[in-house]
Amino acid sequence: MTMVSFIVNSKPVTLETDLSRRLLDVLRDDLGLTGTKEGCGEGECGACQVYLDGDLVNSCMVPMANVIGKSVLTIEGFSETEAYRQIEAAYIEEGAVQCGYCIPGMVMATGALLRSNPHPDLEAIKDGLSGNICRCTGYQTIFKAVERASKEEVKK
Amino acid sequence: MKITDVVNRVDTQEKIRGAAQYIEDIPFDNLHYARTLRSTLPKGKILKVAYPRGFPGITVVDAGDILARNEVSMVTTDMPIFADGEVNYVGEAIALIVGRDKDEIIAFMKGIEVTYDPGTPLFTCDDAEENLFTRRHYSKGDLASLEGLEVFEGRYRTPYQEQLYMEKQGVVAEVKEGVVEIFGSMQCPYYVVNALKNALDYPEEKIRVVQTVTGGAFGGKEDYPSIMACQTALAALKIKAPVQLVYDRREDIQFTTKRHPSDITIKSYYREGRIEGMKIDVGIDAGPYLGLSDVVLQRAILTMTGAYGVPHLEVSGTVYKTNNIFNGAFRGFGGPQSLFALESHMSQLAARLGVDPLDFREKHFVHQGELTSTGGRFHEEIHLEEMTRILKEMSGYPHLARDGRGRLVGYGVAVVPHGGGFTGDGEAEHIKAVVKLRKDTEQFIHILVSNVEMGQGALTALSKIVASALDVPMERIIYKNPDTRLVPDSGPTAASRTTMVVGRLLYDAALKMKDALEEREEVVVTEHYHQPAYLAWDQENLRGNAYLSYSWAALLARVEVDPVTLEVTCTDIHGVYDVGLPIDEKMLLGQVHGGVIQGLGYGMMETMDSKEGLIQHNSFSSYAVPTTEDIPAIHTRWLINPYIEGPFGAKAAGELTLVGVAPAIATAVADALGREIYEIPVLPEKLLKVVKS
Ligand code: FES
Ligand code: FES
């Protein structure tokens, strides 16, 4: 067990943990941030995606050793941002959510995509979300939601 | 509000924010965790289970802890809660290992040694006596009178399909003041209640089942949660603390129910371009326990003539008993297997006769007033010709472009039904749905049913039906995840029955409540299901109206096949759907997309093999389902055909969207290659054999 310090959703956190533990478990079990989901546990589905120092990562594949001193943003933190509000509105409007289990990860991936490419075409959207599995929607409405979010004016 | 108003789903926002609590997200005081000790043999006697010493925090719960019956009561009771002395498949539960500390549980499990006396397992479906569960048969006309006609026979095979709901199976059991409480991800809360009543010999007052937000199910959470509930209930009673059982993904893929693999033979007798008779034989592999398999078989054989009128028929089906993983419900419930076989057969025969596959189908379409394959009558309007016309128009048929820039282009069609609700008189005889509507003193209207939201939109659809029937805003409707202490048994969330059957009962209840809407006091209206008088069913002989009503789909798929690698890309799916009157087009479109893509996975990607009874494809990486990169353009049209018994005219929709997709794609690939295809998925290694043959 080691004491580690890092930032979660803009707040500093210090806790004792095994350095080999997965960031996903620390978020969910130690910090109660259960918006981040475990779909596969092996880096294949994207349900556990969060930002680590701004980069989109699968938190089931990140050992705590790689989190020390870094900043983590989860869906709970992201949902406080302006960028998120546009995405949420678009997902609701397009009916892009069914069971919802893939959605927090999908929204994190959408946020990352729109940050790097504010006006993606369909190919870029498919590419940007290719690490996220959704078993319910057939993705069509999710593509539409991302498109819609990219068209909404950025509200300051 | 009106049924035609556009609404947003009621459960969206909290799901997007990650605030919706699925079973693994809910905190319980003093929560203990459980893992399953599983058989590593497909068949054998358990001689001894040796547990390691020195783990004070661990409790073992097994067959020795059974309170009343070691049975998971479903349609039958042949499945034990815990293996007792013998195992019948790889992965069968021998015990739950329960503790506070997940690492300690894993360390303990490493030290367990199970000694078996191995038996002789059965993995194939052949007709040895010990290999049979049930046989079903029905006939029509006189097939023998067709001797001498030309015949075409084909044998079709379909594989396992895994539901792969994104949220794994999970339940928590807790005992509070003598009441066993189950919380979990499930489709059928009262199935769980009934299983617990039988297992514990408890009265219903001492059982409470609460569905938690469910991250997809597709049939996979129809029967399976009953097993986990019985196991964890026994564990919670033993340790007197809440027990959580959530599978890890590999476990979930390998050891929970799947779509039955099938082996179907169709022999058509035809004359002057028309099929006069068919001899059909369907075999499905149940695994070692019957579970829902006989019910799946019935839907499979009753769907076998699809959208077509065939004057002379002999249809038989067999559920085989093996030591493979046991199978269960998956969206379509026997239909996808039958319709892959039938629709492939229709296109193959059309091609052999040199006629257009849609024209060939049209010659055989059923019509209102005609007899069904089981001697019932098609009571509703059927618009298959019109649907076909729309399909042709939207896809530009028959002038379909063949230029694939170096890739082979092919087109395939399918025209399919899906029967809504339980088979035969199941709704009236077995389900006997009861719904309640309650207006409270604050003037909110509560929907009290046991049907669940699992992603398909039940919360929104039923709320919209009630709000529209009462002409009140949706905000006045309250419909929470069912808690069996509070809601009556309106039946399982299965068989595309929720909107059509339960929705209609709620609609009727709402009309009765309408006059009392302005009263100050609480008002409760209860409705019971009654089968329409014009329907009759003889379960013994499978005679009469097999379904309450039929929904229909006409599909056209376009594929491109790489001539070198034989890799298939599906570029377009055109579909025309008759689901009566769509309750909410936006939401139904989501069902269409989801069903089409699951059907696409079934037809062209999802591979699952079993070796010595063990599923080999056990992860997201080895069991590939469609990702964003595999998605064709999906073009959808509705054929509006209100169903008189449905709420606002709605019929079944959820399963219909899946059942015809695989044959449309497979026949498109066959068209591109100029070969016949008898097996899905259409993966390059399978196609190589097709091309070489
Ligand atoms: S749970 Fe991390 S990628 Fe699937
Ligand atoms: S909405 Fe269910 S997995 Fe995406």
Side-chain angles (χ1 to χ4, degrees):
Chain A
M1 296 285 252
T2 315
M3 276 307 223
V4 296
S5 296
F6 55 108
I7 292 170
V8 176
N9 298 335
S10 315
K11 289 193 202 77
V13 172
T14 299
L15 47 78
E16 200 176 26
T17 185
D18 222 314
L19 290 180
S20 64
R21 267 181 90 212
R22 309 181 302 173
L23 170 59
L24 172 65
D25 296 324
V26 170
L27 291 173
R28 290 184 50 90
D29 299 345
D30 298 12
L31 302 174
L33 295 169
T34 53
T36 305
K37 306 298 181 196
E38 177 168 353
C40 66
E42 42 195 38
E44 297 280 345
C45 78
C48 64
Q49 285 177 347
V50 299
Y51 301 151
L52 185 62
D53 274 355
D55 294 333
L56 185 70
V57 297
N58 288 324
S59 64
C60 70
M61 299 302 284
V62 178
M64 284 310 291
N66 294 2
V67 181
I68 297 168
K70 293 192 177 158
S71 171
V72 179
L73 192 69
T74 70
I75 187 70
E76 288 89 350
F78 185 50
S79 64
E80 303 290 313
T81 64
E82 271 306 318
Y84 169 84
R85 266 186 273 284
Q86 258 170 249
I87 297 172
E88 180 187 278
Y91 269 67
I92 292 175
E93 201 53 45
E94 293 294 342
V97 179
Q98 293 189 24
C99 85
Y101 208 76
C102 70
I103 294 294
M106 201 67 87
V107 165
M108 298 306 282
T110 303
L113 168 64
L114 293 180
R115 214 173 341 128
S116 68
N117 181 358
H119 300 288
D121 61 10
L122 183 59
E123 281 319 302
I125 293 172
K126 287 183 174 182
D127 197 42
L129 301 181
S130 63
N132 297 74
I133 303 277
C134 174
R135 191 59 158 165
C136 296
T137 62
Y139 306 100
Q140 299 280 326
T141 48
I142 292 175
F143 299 158
K144 288 239 171 65
V146 178
E147 219 168 76
R148 179 186 280 261
S150 75
K151 284 185 186 140
E152 301 274 307
E153 251 176 75
V154 184
K155 298 168 196 104
K156 293 273 147 134
Chain B
M1 70 171 295
K2 304 273 171 278
I3 199 70
T4 44
D5 290 353
V6 177
V7 299
N8 288 326
R9 285 179 63 122
V10 297
D11 54 342
T12 303
Q13 194 181 46
E14 57 174 15
K15 285 177 172 173
I16 305 181
R17 301 190 162 199
Q21 287 192 307
Y22 300 81
I23 187 65
E24 233 187 332
D25 305 334
I26 302 173
F28 285 82
D29 278 343
N30 192 27
L31 185 62
H32 285 57
Y33 302 97
R35 282 191 70 86
T36 311
L37 172 66
R38 297 179 180 282
S39 155
T40 52
L41 275 196
K43 189 171 175 64
K45 296 223 174 334
I46 302 175
L47 298 179
K48 190 174 164 215
V49 186
Y51 292 106
R53 290 172 191 279
F55 289 85
I58 297 291
T59 307
V60 174
V61 183
D62 63 13
D65 296 297
I66 294 296
L67 283 184
R69 293 177 199 94
N70 191 6
E71 300 169 349
V72 182
S73 170
M74 285 296 307
V75 179
T76 57
T77 52
D78 60 337
M79 187 189 306
I81 299 168
F82 291 113
D84 190 5
E86 60 166 41
V87 294
N88 289 302
Y89 67 95
V90 178
E92 181 154 20
I94 297 170
L96 283 192
I97 311 303
V98 185
R100 277 287 281 163
D101 180 352
K102 291 180 181 174
D103 293 336
E104 192 184 3
I105 295 173
I106 289 168
F108 179 85
M109 290 186 75
K110 284 203 177 114
I112 302 174
E113 272 177 43
V114 185
T115 327
Y116 303 93
D117 174 13
T120 312
L122 283 167
F123 297 125
T124 52
C125 297
D126 51 49
D127 290 331
E129 256 326 295
E130 71 272 20
N131 206 191
L132 301 182
F133 260 131
T134 58
R135 279 219 147 123
R136 301 263 169 190
H137 174 259
Y138 66 90
S139 58
K140 178 183 176 186
D142 178 13
L143 196 66
S145 70
L146 302 182
E147 272 324 312
L149 259 58
E150 283 189 88
V151 297
F152 166 52
E153 183 171 326
R155 186 174 176 188
Y156 306 86
R157 287 191 178 82
T158 65
Y160 284 110
Q161 189 182 18
E162 159 63 28
Q163 293 88 357
L164 213 81
Y165 30 70
M166 283 295 291
E167 182 208 20
K168 298 152 294 180
Q169 301 269 3
V171 302
V172 171
E174 185 173 27
V175 184
K176 266 196 190 151
E177 291 162 14
V179 175
V180 170
E181 303 189 338
I182 301 287
F183 300 83
S185 185
M186 64 180 76
Q187 293 174 235
C188 315
Y190 272 95
Y191 280 6
V192 177
V193 168
N194 292 333
L196 289 169
K197 271 161 76 175
N198 182 69
L200 307 175
D201 212 0
Y202 272 23
E204 199 158 317
E205 308 79 75
K206 288 178 69 184
I207 296 165
R208 177 188 180 206
V209 177
V210 182
Q211 180 243 355
T212 49
V213 179
T214 295
F218 316 115
K221 294 171 183 171
E222 181 167 337
D223 53 352
Y224 208 87
S226 297
I227 304 169
M228 298 171 80
C230 289
Q231 293 170 345
T232 50
L234 292 169
L237 285 162
K238 183 166 184 177
I239 68 164
K240 301 188 171 51
V243 175
Q244 182 197 74
L245 180 60
V246 176
Y247 286 169
D248 71 33
R249 180 58 71 178
R250 285 178 183 247
E251 212 181 0
D252 196 311
I253 296 180
Q254 279 188 304
F255 305 126
T256 67
T257 54
K258 308 184 193 313
R259 191 186 301 292
H260 296 73
S262 76
D263 182 342
I264 300 174
T265 303
I266 305 177
K267 185 174 183 181
S268 284
Y269 296 76
Y270 60 95
R271 175 165 48 206
E272 289 159 21
R274 197 191 187 290
I275 297 172
E276 296 294 335
M278 280 182 166
K279 186 174 184 328
I280 296 167
D281 192 37
V282 179
I284 63 171
D285 176 357
Y289 302 114
L290 188 55
L292 299 171
S293 295
D294 188 40
V295 194
V296 171
L297 177 77
Q298 289 174 53
R299 191 177 273 275
I301 63 174
L302 294 169
T303 304
M304 254 336 305
T305 53
Y308 316 115
V310 182
H312 305 280
L313 273 177
E314 290 290 340
V315 183
S316 51
T318 310
V319 178
Y320 291 98
K321 180 176 184 169
T322 67
N323 298 98
N324 295 316
I325 181 71
F326 75 97
N327 293 308
F330 190 162
R331 195 178 198 170
F333 209 76
Q337 293 95 320
S338 302
L339 293 169
F340 166 68
L342 175 68
E343 290 301 288
S344 300
H345 187 85
M346 292 299 282
S347 288
Q348 289 159 354
L349 185 49
R352 285 174 179 230
L353 295 172
V355 296
D356 176 89
L358 275 176
D359 292 346
F360 184 62
R361 283 171 168 77
E362 209 160 331
K363 261 189 171 170
H364 297 84
F365 280 162
V366 294
H367 300 97
Q368 186 179 24
E370 291 176 0
L371 291 182
T372 68
S373 59
T374 52
R377 208 164 281 286
F378 287 107
H379 288 279
E380 318 135 59
E381 290 182 22
I382 299 175
H383 296 286
L384 292 170
E385 285 83 0
E386 174 64 4
M387 290 173 69
T388 312
R389 193 194 60 72
I390 298 171
L391 182 70
K392 286 179 175 172
E393 177 197 291
M394 72 193 283
S395 62
Y397 202 89
H399 306 291
L400 301 165
R402 292 276 163 181
D403 176 21
R405 288 154 286 121
R407 290 156 68 89
L408 305 167
V409 174
Y411 295 89
V413 296
V415 181
V416 296
H418 190 80
F422 267 57
T423 297
D425 54 7
E427 292 287 340
E429 288 301 312
H430 300 293
I431 309 295
K432 300 185 177 114
V434 182
V435 310
K436 279 189 185 168
L437 215 49
R438 181 169 75 85
K439 182 185 75 63
D440 66 21
T441 51
E442 310 279 306
Q443 303 302 329
F444 285 105
I445 295 121
H446 301 252
I447 293 178
L448 301 174
V449 298
S450 60
N451 299 89
V452 311
E453 172 68 57
M454 51 189 182
Q456 87 284 39
L459 290 182
T460 309
L462 296 186
S463 298
K464 192 176 178 190
I465 288 167
V466 172
S468 305
L470 290 171
D471 197 9
V472 301
M474 284 266 278
E475 294 70 46
R476 269 181 73 184
I477 312 295
I478 297 179
Y479 175 11
K480 297 210 174 108
N481 290 3
D483 170 345
T484 59
R485 238 180 10 183
L486 306 174
V487 302
D489 185 359
S490 57
T493 314
S496 304
R497 64 184 291 280
T498 301
T499 297
M500 185 175 96
V501 177
V502 179
R504 173 58 192 255
L505 291 172
L506 286 169
Y507 174 84
D508 290 346
L511 294 189
K512 285 186 187 160
M513 179 172 276
K514 209 162 182 177
D515 291 336
L517 207 53
E518 300 315 317
E519 281 172 28
R520 286 200 161 273
E521 316 78 82
E522 175 176 289
V523 179
V524 178
V525 179
T526 305
E527 279 291 313
H528 294 261
Y529 179 77
H530 296 291
Q531 186 169 294
Y534 56 82
L535 298 177
W537 180 246
D538 168 1
Q539 175 61 26
E540 208 30 52
N541 301 301
L542 305 181
R543 295 287 303 164
N545 292 95
Y547 294 100
L548 301 173
S549 76
Y550 295 86
S551 301
W552 307 93
L555 304 171
L556 182 137
R558 179 185 183 277
V559 301
E560 293 180 0
V561 184
D562 187 306
V564 180
T565 64
L566 297 177
E567 257 169 71
V568 177
T569 312
C570 178
T571 60
D572 295 86
I573 300 273
H574 298 269
V576 186
Y577 300 88
D578 169 4
V579 294
L581 182 114
I583 286 291
D584 189 273
E585 287 198 16
K586 189 160 52 165
M587 215 159 57
L588 274 168
L589 212 50
Q591 285 291 294
V592 167
H593 297 153
V596 163
I597 296 309
Q598 278 179 353
L600 178 143
Y602 186 48
M604 57 182 272
M605 301 179 67
E606 298 177 30
T607 305
M608 182 165 270
D609 298 325
S610 178
K611 201 168 140 203
E612 306 281 288
L614 181 65
I615 296 291
Q616 302 295 301
H617 299 83
N618 62 1
S619 65
F620 271 72
S621 44
S622 61
Y623 186 70
V625 298
T627 73
T628 56
E629 312 275 13
D630 303 302
I631 305 306
I634 304 178
H635 318 271
T636 306
R637 298 267 191 93
W638 308 111
L639 184 291
I640 308 291
N641 178 23
Y643 167 47
I644 180 162
E645 311 288 349
F648 296 100
K651 291 192 285 197
E655 294 167 286
L656 173 74
T657 59
L658 184 150
V659 295
V661 179
I665 291 175
T667 55
V669 174
D671 180 47
L673 296 175
R675 292 283 201 282
E676 289 176 340
I677 289 175
Y678 290 89
E679 199 178 339
I680 47 172
V682 286
L683 283 168
E685 54 269 29
K686 291 230 169 80
L687 295 179
L688 192 62
K689 283 191 208 141
V690 169
V691 172
K692 282 191 172 153
S693 67

